Amino acid sequence: VSQSRYPLAIGAALALMIYLFGKTSGGHFNPAVSLAMFVKGTLNFADFLPYLVVQGLGAVAALKVADRIKLL
C-alpha cells in the first residue's frame, strides 16, 4: 500500500466520525479544535476541560490499541 493513501484514509475516517457523531460532540475529535473554540470564546472553560481530558484519554487508548496490534 502506498504511503500516499494513509492521509486519505485518516481524512476519510475523520469525516465519517464527524458525520456520525458531530451532533453529539460538535466535531471535537481533535484537541486543537477544542482549544481554538475556547480561545475564540465559543467554548467556555467548564466545557473545554472535559473535552480536553477525554480527548487525551482517547489518544492514550488509541496508542495502546495501535501498539497492541503493531500498527506503529
Side-chain angles (χ1 to χ4, degrees):
V1 175
S2 165
Q3 285 194 351
S4 64
R5 292 184 186 185
Y6 291 128
L8 292 175
I10 292 168
L14 182 58
L16 180 64
M17 289 188 318
I18 290 170
Y19 178 76
L20 292 174
F21 304 111
K23 289 185 181 185
T24 304
S25 73
H28 291 254
F29 293 103
N30 185 330
V33 172
S34 302
L35 179 61
M37 292 185 72
F38 174 68
V39 169
K40 185 178 175 186
T42 57
L43 186 66
N44 63 36
F45 186 75
D47 292 331
F48 171 67
L49 189 59
Y51 274 122
L52 192 63
V53 169
V54 172
Q55 290 165 341
L57 292 174
V60 170
L63 181 61
K64 295 289 185 184
V65 169
D67 186 47
R68 180 66 100 179
I69 60 175
K70 307 293 187 220
L71 286 178
L72 299 176

